[in-house]
Amino acid sequence: MSQRMKRIMAAALAGTVALSAGACKTAEPEQEEASQKVTEADLKTAAEDGDAKEVTIKIAWWGGQTRHEQTQQVLDLYSELHPNVKFVASPSGWDGYFEKLSTQTASGAMPDIVQMDYLYLTTYAKNNSVADLQEFIDNGTIDVSGIDEKLLNTGRIDDKMTGLVLSTSMLSFGYNPDVLAEAGVEEPTADWTWSDFIEMSKKVHEATGKYGPAMDTALDTNGFNYWVRQHGQSLFSEDNKSLGYTDDKICEDYFTMWNSLMEEGVLPNPDEYAQIATLGQEAGPVVTGDAAMIMEWNNYASKLSSVNDKIKMVTPPMSDDSDAKGLWMKPGMFFSVAETSQVKQEAAEFINWFINSKEANDIMMAERGTPVSSEIRDYMISSGKLGEQQKAMFEGVDEAAAICGDTPAPDPVGMSEINEAFKNAANSVYYGQATAADAAAAFREEANSILERNNK
């Protein structure tokens, strides 16, 4: 293990101890206040529910420790207000989440409520694994009056509301300003380019011995999708039966850029990052000051504010030679309900409360991204409870609107296979098993085969 990796692991261990100690403390004042906000209407509801049938809702989500703790507080509060409702929670990290969900779904054991990503929504909709929530919108169980119609409809597949959007997000770069200052590098601005990014990353490494960026560039196709869109192309064709771009040089250049940074030690190689990933987001190198940057979603700084309140966000690097708008507003995530669920009505009632209640949002504090309800957004902005990183996230969404293109359609069926093919192709370059050109061609061949097979 390199000295740098030893330092990162040691810093992470110290952070983990601090987190464990913090977990033993009482809730933050704002969260305590939220949990105590029980109105007369709430008490009436609780009394009525006390006589209702017992209901158990199984719920699964991915995220870091902060999300796990906050979501559990939300579930506990809901059960206080609805004594007949109990939850069986299955929190996990992103890695392995959809693999496990796929296995559960195949065996008929899909949780009642699942946190769903735009990458996989079409897949679960097309195989009829998730319920149509439109009936619960129509009968008033789920109030969507405060949600922008275009954003709401990102959950609509084949005229079915297969997922209720929870937040908005966009691809961003998180950075540790202290690491940049240590290296004598100025903080990035919205007009920075990929050349600027590479130069900054190398300067950080040369000046400090730390990583410039620290991330898994082959985790999924989101970053590559941004890159393709910057070239004026789309990742998938309109009929979803093939890739949407025709020049493999686009993919080749993407692999080459990251591989070059790895070869110089500026970016963790796959083996190094595998060790880093075991630490969890709260103890990642950018948080602990062992790396400068990470490509993430715009809620990165907000969700990690409890362990590092200095992290800042910026939009991804612009293309050096194209004005094409690569960025897009992405539905942050969804709640979907299993078609096999026996408690669909109760699940819909919880989702409505999760989205529209001030109490729930006082606890979550926009950790999952900018809330979709305009009423909740206004409430949070005026409440005075938002930290600097939450405020910056809200403001950043408005500022980024000018450089955002259209939101692409939900990813096609077979997305998990596409991501795996992309990861294999990228890693074949990173491990020296293939040239970037050969890997790009191999990815096209395999991706087109997957898309044609799954989208007939």
Side-chain angles (χ1 to χ4, degrees), residues 63 125 129 310 317 323 335 355 358 412 440:
S129 297
K310 294 182 179 180
D323 293 328
F335 268 158
I355 292 171
K358 295 177 181 178

Side-chain angles (χ1 to χ4, degrees), residues 439-455:
F443 172 62
R444 168 178 294 281
E445 181 178 356
E446 185 170 1
N448 284 347
S449 175
I450 293 168
L451 291 166
E452 185 176 3
R453 182 175 71 249
N454 284 281
N455 295 275

Side-chain angles (χ1 to χ4, degrees), residues 218-266:
L219 180 63
D220 55 44
T221 56
N222 280 308
F224 181 56
N225 195 351
Y226 173 72
W227 178 270
V228 170
R229 286 165 60 94
Q230 284 186 311
H231 286 77
Q233 305 293 314
S234 59
L235 183 55
F236 302 111
S237 63
E238 288 189 11
D239 62 8
N240 286 332
K241 294 182 179 180
S242 66
L243 294 177
Y245 64 92
T246 56
D247 185 2
D248 281 339
K249 187 71 164 52
I250 294 175
C251 185
E252 178 186 345
D253 289 346
Y254 189 77
F255 290 157
T256 298
M257 176 178 67
W258 298 120
N259 188 55
S260 297
L261 292 176
M262 285 182 195
E263 289 180 337
E264 296 182 42
V266 179

Side-chain angles (χ1 to χ4, degrees), residues 62 67 94 115-119 151 154 165-170 297-299 329-334 368-370 372:
W62 73 83
R67 179 175 299 170
W94 171 265
Q115 189 171 284
M116 181 64 66
D117 189 81
Y118 208 41
L119 283 170
L151 182 61
T154 57
V165 62
L166 304 179
S167 61
T168 57
S169 65
M170 61 184 179
W297 299 102
N298 66 319
N299 65 330
M329 288 294 178
K330 176 183 179 291
M333 58 197 69
F334 303 80
R368 279 177 167 82
T370 309
V372 290

Side-chain angles (χ1 to χ4, degrees), residues 82-98:
H82 305 80
N84 66 309
V85 178
K86 308 299 178 187
F87 292 93
V88 174
S90 300
S92 74
W94 171 265
D95 291 347
Y97 176 85
F98 280 97

Side-chain angles (χ1 to χ4, degrees), residues 88-355:
V88 174
S90 300
S92 74
W94 171 265
D95 291 347
Y97 176 85
F98 280 97
E99 287 81 355
K100 179 180 179 181
L101 184 60
S102 176
T103 301
Q104 290 174 319
T105 303
S107 64
M110 186 179 188
D112 299 296
I113 300 176
V114 294
Q115 189 171 284
M116 181 64 66
D117 189 81
Y118 208 41
L119 283 170
Y120 298 100
L121 185 61
T122 298
T123 298
Y124 283 83
K126 292 288 188 180
N127 63 21
N128 297 314
S129 297
V130 292
D132 184 1
L133 299 178
Q134 187 61 47
E135 65 172 294
F136 301 107
I137 295 173
D138 293 342
N139 68 20
T141 300
I142 301 177
D143 178 9
V144 298
S145 60
I147 303 176
D148 176 79
E149 186 174 359
K150 288 183 179 178
L151 182 61
L152 177 66
N153 284 333
T154 57
R156 192 178 299 281
I157 308 292
D158 294 340
D159 293 326
K160 294 181 180 180
M161 189 60 71
T162 57
L164 213 296
V165 62
L166 304 179
S167 61
T168 57
S169 65
M170 61 184 179
L171 203 64
S172 302
F173 269 64
Y175 65 92
N176 188 317
D178 290 344
V179 176
L180 295 181
E182 181 185 351
V185 174
E186 292 185 4
E187 296 180 20
T189 57
D191 60 350
W192 68 326
T193 65
W194 284 109
S195 292
D196 295 328
F197 162 73
I198 292 171
E199 182 181 359
M200 291 169 63
S201 298
K202 290 182 177 181
K203 283 184 177 180
V204 168
H205 181 61
E206 290 168 1
T208 68
K210 300 177 179 180
Y211 292 122
M215 56 200 184
D216 183 353
T217 64
L219 180 63
D220 55 44
T221 56
N222 280 308
F224 181 56
N225 195 351
Y226 173 72
W227 178 270
V228 170
R229 286 165 60 94
Q230 284 186 311
H231 286 77
Q233 305 293 314
S234 59
L235 183 55
F236 302 111
S237 63
E238 288 189 11
D239 62 8
N240 286 332
K241 294 182 179 180
S242 66
L243 294 177
Y245 64 92
T246 56
D247 185 2
D248 281 339
K249 187 71 164 52
I250 294 175
C251 185
E252 178 186 345
D253 289 346
Y254 189 77
F255 290 157
T256 298
M257 176 178 67
W258 298 120
N259 188 55
S260 297
L261 292 176
M262 285 182 195
E263 289 180 337
E264 296 182 42
V266 179
L267 172 74
N269 63 39
D271 290 335
E272 290 172 331
Y273 195 81
Q275 295 179 45
I276 291 171
T278 64
L279 307 175
Q281 284 194 325
E282 287 85 353
V286 176
V287 176
T288 60
D290 289 287
M293 295 176 282
I294 184 171
M295 182 162 57
E296 253 280 356
W297 299 102
N298 66 319
N299 65 330
Y300 177 73
S302 175
K303 68 184 178 182
L304 294 172
S305 59
S306 64
V307 288
N308 187 331
D309 61 2
K310 294 182 179 180
I311 295 175
K312 297 182 180 180
M313 304 300 296
V314 66
T315 49
M318 305 289 282
S319 172
D320 287 280
D321 38 40
S322 171
D323 293 328
K325 293 183 176 180
L327 198 60
W328 71 97
M329 288 294 178
K330 176 183 179 291
M333 58 197 69
F334 303 80
F335 268 158
S336 293
V337 175
E339 182 59 57
T340 55
S341 174
Q342 301 300 305
V343 290
K344 292 187 180 71
Q345 175 66 38
E346 292 82 358
E349 290 170 359
F350 170 75
I351 292 172
N352 177 68
W353 183 82
F354 189 94
I355 292 171

Side-chain angles (χ1 to χ4, degrees), residues 46 74-87 353:
V74 169
L75 300 181
D76 291 344
L77 177 57
Y78 191 82
S79 290
E80 287 181 25
L81 301 175
H82 305 80
N84 66 309
V85 178
K86 308 299 178 187
F87 292 93
W353 183 82

